[in-house]
Amino acid sequence: MKLALYQGPATCGDIEAGFNRLQTRLSAAAMAGASMAVFSELFLPGYNLPDLHRSLAQPLGGQWCQRLSDLAANAGCGLTVGWTELDGENVYNAATAFGTRGEILGHYRKIQLFGPMEKASFAFGERYTTFDFCGRKTAILICYDIEFPQHCRALADRGVSLVLVPTANPRRFEHVSHAFVPSRAAEAGLTIAYANYCGPEGDITFGGKSLIAGPDGKALASAGTGETLLVADLAPVSDIPWDLLSRQDQDYREGKFQ
């Protein structure tokens, strides 16, 4: 399968501009042969806009979801995107994956909220979500989640081989793209698609450096700091020489060592 990843500027609260960009980039991904396109964290309504997180949040199955479903169905390309979800009194930093017919494949709420702003805006997610897509067991994590090897190991233990990660990573944290994401992929034998923003949003400037890392830790595709649509062909894990794949799950010696 081919996987696309869009790195671009933040929506900055302009919902219609965000949907227009989703439509054009998703269509471009479909024309390139991608089965799924991944967009950034809180693409709707924007990441660094805490005043809007609650006021614009929508329920799962609401108007935003219907429009996102229609975009995926019309393009014939899956879509994974971050947005603010309202459920009762709680607001979640969420992401949803839609299939090529517009069906919801998986819905996820961020487990590891980062920093004071996120913890003030959102409730914590409490569970993983997995689904089958193009013959691969797939999961969603969001931004800070991927920095924890425990989550990647837990997903790999559930048979996951592909993790889709909408993110909003600022400048000065490029080590996440350079070190953490390839390490998480190699440690757990995963393919990880890490879709960041680029450019400013309020007092944050995002660092770009989106990438798709394979289970040997190598980048299948990577971006710089500008607007980019990445498309990569995900080869079967069996195509990677066995001695380049981690055996940590088999070789780890558990115990108390001095």
PDB file of all heavy atoms in Angstrom, residues 167 234 239:
ATOM      1  N   THR A 167       0.491  15.022  14.733  1.00  0.00           N
ATOM      2  CA  THR A 167       1.314  15.655  15.757  1.00  0.00           C
ATOM      3  C   THR A 167       1.356  17.160  15.570  1.00  0.00           C
ATOM      4  O   THR A 167       0.967  17.683  14.523  1.00  0.00           O
ATOM      5  CB  THR A 167       2.737  15.057  15.750  1.00  0.00           C
ATOM      6  OG1 THR A 167       3.440  15.488  16.906  1.00  0.00           O
ATOM      7  CG2 THR A 167       3.511  15.481  14.517  1.00  0.00           C
ATOM      8  N   LEU A 234       4.674   1.275   1.300  1.00  0.00           N
ATOM      9  CA  LEU A 234       5.008   0.474   2.475  1.00  0.00           C
ATOM     10  C   LEU A 234       5.205  -0.973   2.054  1.00  0.00           C
ATOM     11  O   LEU A 234       4.245  -1.692   1.794  1.00  0.00           O
ATOM     12  CB  LEU A 234       3.902   0.576   3.524  1.00  0.00           C
ATOM     13  CG  LEU A 234       3.490   1.982   3.959  1.00  0.00           C
ATOM     14  CD1 LEU A 234       2.523   1.899   5.133  1.00  0.00           C
ATOM     15  CD2 LEU A 234       4.686   2.845   4.302  1.00  0.00           C
ATOM     16  N   ASP A 239      10.161  -8.079   3.402  1.00  0.00           N
ATOM     17  CA  ASP A 239      11.165  -7.592   2.460  1.00  0.00           C
ATOM     18  C   ASP A 239      12.404  -7.047   3.159  1.00  0.00           C
ATOM     19  O   ASP A 239      13.418  -6.778   2.500  1.00  0.00           O
ATOM     20  CB  ASP A 239      10.567  -6.499   1.572  1.00  0.00           C
ATOM     21  CG  ASP A 239       9.599  -7.043   0.535  1.00  0.00           C
ATOM     22  OD1 ASP A 239       9.422  -8.284   0.487  1.00  0.00           O
ATOM     23  OD2 ASP A 239       9.009  -6.247  -0.224  1.00  0.00           O
TER      24      ASP A 239
END
